[in-house]
Amino acid sequence: MLCVETNRLLHGYLDGELDLASALALEDHLRECAACRERFTGQQALRSAVTGKARYHAAPAGLRQALRTRLAAEGRTRIPAWLQPWPATAMAAAALLIAVTAWVTVHQPPAPTQVAQAPAERKLVYHVNSSDDVATAFRNLSNLLDAAPRTRVVVVAHNSGVDFLISGARDKAGDPYQPAVAQLKSRGVDFRICGNTLGRRNIQADRVIPEAVLVPSGIVEIARLQAEEGYSYIKL
Ligand SMILES: [Zn+2]
């Protein structure tokens, strides 16, 4: 299997949707190819971060039974007047019909609370401390926002990870980073750059692209976002 094919099938593989032959061929390729393996582990980490940390609201255990009982009770009291003179068998049939309707209503997936509430906002802080594969990470981030648009993302750059936020920086393919940063920023992603790193590496603050915000310390910012604002940590 080639890299391009692996890339195309990776999402299907992670979702367990590939046939056995394709899955085995993909696994063989992942064993041999470090680049694809890295992409795979990145995707895997993203997925578990997004799905694992999501706060879904499950219906309380007793709710279904309570609803069923109440619906059944209301159903019996709401038998229309024209049914009253009917014989007992018709009454029983009507009551049964109402009970079945109530049962079906209560058993309709998804649970009522999941429909009524918007999904909780997910908050992710991405720690970038190397410039190695920022371009790939950006593609992953963009895919993540396609799949989960309500995800709140802050990218904190620190150490050699600050390079992509310096004016004129380009990726390995020679493409400038700034348009990709601006694009992600327009989708709500915040970029924060470590002031300590800039000082240590003698990079003037005016060389930082305008999309990034300078914070005194990248590490302190990451710790603060987790402790005070409920962000989940992801290492890029
Ligand atoms: Zn490959």
Side-chain angles (χ1 to χ4, degrees), residues 18 30 38 75 133 158 186 209 213:
L18 292 193
L30 290 182
E38 198 174 317
D133 219 357
H158 154 254
S186 75
I209 59 174
V213 171

Side-chain angles (χ1 to χ4, degrees), residues 3 29 33 36:
C3 292
H29 182 85
C33 175
C36 286

Side-chain angles (χ1 to χ4, degrees), residues 131-155:
S131 294
D132 281 352
D133 219 357
V134 173
T136 304
F138 279 4
R139 276 194 297 279
N140 289 343
L141 204 48
S142 178
N143 291 341
L144 166 76
L145 291 170
D146 289 342
R150 283 176 55 83
T151 309
R152 181 88 186 83
V153 177
V154 177
V155 175

Side-chain angles (χ1 to χ4, degrees), residues 1-4 6-7 29-30 32-37 39:
M1 189 175 281
L2 299 172
C3 292
V4 60
T6 303
N7 216 5
H29 182 85
L30 290 182
E32 292 158 12
C33 175
C36 286
R37 200 161 53 237
R39 207 158 28 235

Side-chain angles (χ1 to χ4, degrees), residues 71-72 75-76 79 83 88-104:
L71 280 172
R76 268 190 288 279
I79 295 172
L83 266 178
T89 46
M91 290 290 287
L96 181 65
L97 179 66
I98 289 163
V100 167
T101 308
W103 189 87
V104 169

